[in-house]
């Protein structure tokens, strides 16, 4: 089983700042199988990035994904108030299709 | 437009059974590998299992906590995915989502259906 470890667990930043979220895999993953989601309370997860670096439809360009192998990053270039939420990574490369434990991005 | 609509959630007693459905539209369901994911209250996301398309063998995989109790099936004539859940425990209380992942295209989620296991 591929374990995805997200860091940090909680990230406290202010609007306008840059956020860098990490997702580290216990084994190498083909980049096409790595996705990032945003989730707000009471809502279903929203796809942000798939294939490690492709933004989903309608996602602002302040969100970007990068990485390969075992290290992947989601960057939010300038935080907007609506970006404060929980973020998850998921891999579809090898069953079970595991999730990271999440990074909570909250307002400082 | 891809749409996934789950139904069948509700309150069930420990040891009971429930069957969830997910009706798909906006894509060729026959060719799709489909998944179930769940989220317990206040917890993270947990992959439950997957079924391949019939052309790829139609086989299933499950997460360890549900293996032997849950069964994923599909009816391609109805564009519908199912999750049969047996021997339910309070640990199975969660919102259940069906999702479709297509490489180089993205991941599509339903809105979820709540399953509550309680006496």
């Amino acid at each position: 089983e591929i374990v995805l470890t997200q860091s940090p667990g909680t990230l406290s930043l202010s609007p306008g700042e840059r956020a860098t979220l990490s997702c580290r895999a216990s084994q190498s993953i083909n980049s096409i199988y790595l996705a990032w989601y945003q989730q707000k309370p009471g809502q279903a997860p929203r796809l942000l990035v798939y294939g490690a670096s492709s933004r989903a439809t309608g996602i602002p360009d302040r969100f970007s994904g990068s990485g390969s192998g075992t290290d992947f990053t989601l960057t939010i270039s300038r935080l907007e108030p609506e970006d404060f939420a929980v973020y998850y990574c998921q891999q579809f490369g090898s069953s079970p299709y595991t999730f990271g434990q999440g990074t909570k991005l909250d307002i400082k | 437009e891809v749409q996934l609509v789950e139904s069948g959630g509700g309150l069930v007693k420990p040891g009971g059974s429930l069957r969830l459905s997910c009706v798909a539209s906006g894509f060729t369901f026959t060719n799709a590998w489909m998944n179930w994911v769940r989220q317990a209250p206040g917890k993270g996301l947990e992959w439950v299992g997957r079924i391949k398309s019939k052309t790829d063998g139609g086989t299933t995989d499950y997460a360890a906590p549900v293996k032997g109790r849950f069964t994923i099936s599909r009816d391609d004539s109805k564009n519908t995915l199912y999750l049969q859940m047996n021997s339910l425990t309070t640990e199975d209380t969660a919102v259940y989502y069906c999702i479709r992942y297509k490489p180089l295209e993205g991941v599509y989620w339903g809105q979820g259906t709540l399953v509550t296991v309680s006496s």
Side-chain angles (χ1 to χ4, degrees):
Chain A
E1 171 176 328
I2 296 178
V3 177
L4 298 181
T5 302
Q6 291 187 241
S7 61
T10 302
L11 186 56
S12 298
L13 294 170
S14 301
E17 291 193 290
R18 180 185 186 90
T20 303
L21 287 66
S22 172
C23 175
R24 181 161 289 177
S26 59
Q27 305 170 39
S28 184
I29 301 170
N30 185 322
S31 298
I32 68 170
Y33 297 123
L34 195 286
W36 286 94
Y37 306 100
Q38 176 194 70
Q39 190 178 32
K40 297 180 180 179
Q43 296 183 15
R46 174 194 184 196
L47 177 67
L48 299 174
V49 169
Y50 62 95
S53 60
S54 297
R55 258 189 309 277
T57 302
I59 301 303
D61 61 7
R62 64 180 181 273
F63 291 90
S64 63
S66 63
S68 63
T70 59
D71 288 301
F72 299 89
T73 300
L74 178 71
T75 302
I76 311 171
S77 59
R78 284 178 52 86
L79 286 164
E80 297 287 343
E82 62 268 27
D83 298 336
F84 292 91
V86 180
Y87 292 82
Y88 295 95
C89 56
Q90 183 188 14
Q91 64 83 20
F92 289 90
S94 173
S95 178
Y97 298 151
T98 45
F99 288 89
Q101 83 281 14
T103 290
K104 183 178 182 181
L105 179 55
D106 64 18
I107 299 177
K108 189 172 182 181
Chain B
E1 179 194 5
V2 172
Q3 283 203 319
L4 299 168
V5 180
E6 302 94 336
S7 62
L11 176 63
V12 60
K13 287 182 167 50
S17 298
L18 206 60
R19 189 178 82 157
L20 306 183
S21 301
C22 170
V23 177
S25 60
F27 64 98
T28 305
F29 182 76
T30 302
N31 295 339
W33 292 23
M34 299 296 297
N35 300 262
W36 287 98
V37 167
R38 67 183 181 182
Q39 186 170 37
K43 303 295 185 183
L45 298 165
E46 180 184 27
W47 179 80
V48 171
R50 177 219 65 214
I51 185 166
K52 295 182 179 180
S53 63
K54 284 194 167 60
T55 55
D56 289 321
T59 55
T60 51
D61 269 346
Y62 299 94
V66 308
K67 199 167 188 176
R69 299 187 300 124
F70 288 14
T71 302
I72 298 173
S73 61
R74 63 193 299 157
D75 184 339
D76 290 347
S77 69
K78 295 181 179 179
N79 282 5
T80 302
L81 175 74
Y82 300 102
L83 179 65
Q84 177 68 44
M85 303 185 293
N86 298 331
S87 303
L88 286 162
T89 75
T90 56
E91 302 290 302
D92 298 315
T93 293
V95 176
Y96 286 74
Y97 299 96
C98 70
I99 72 171
R100 176 210 176 203
Y101 169 71
K102 186 166 169 70
L104 306 177
E105 186 178 307
V107 190
Y108 303 91
W109 290 64
Q111 85 291 348
T113 187
L114 175 62
V115 172
T116 303
V117 184
S118 174
S119 54

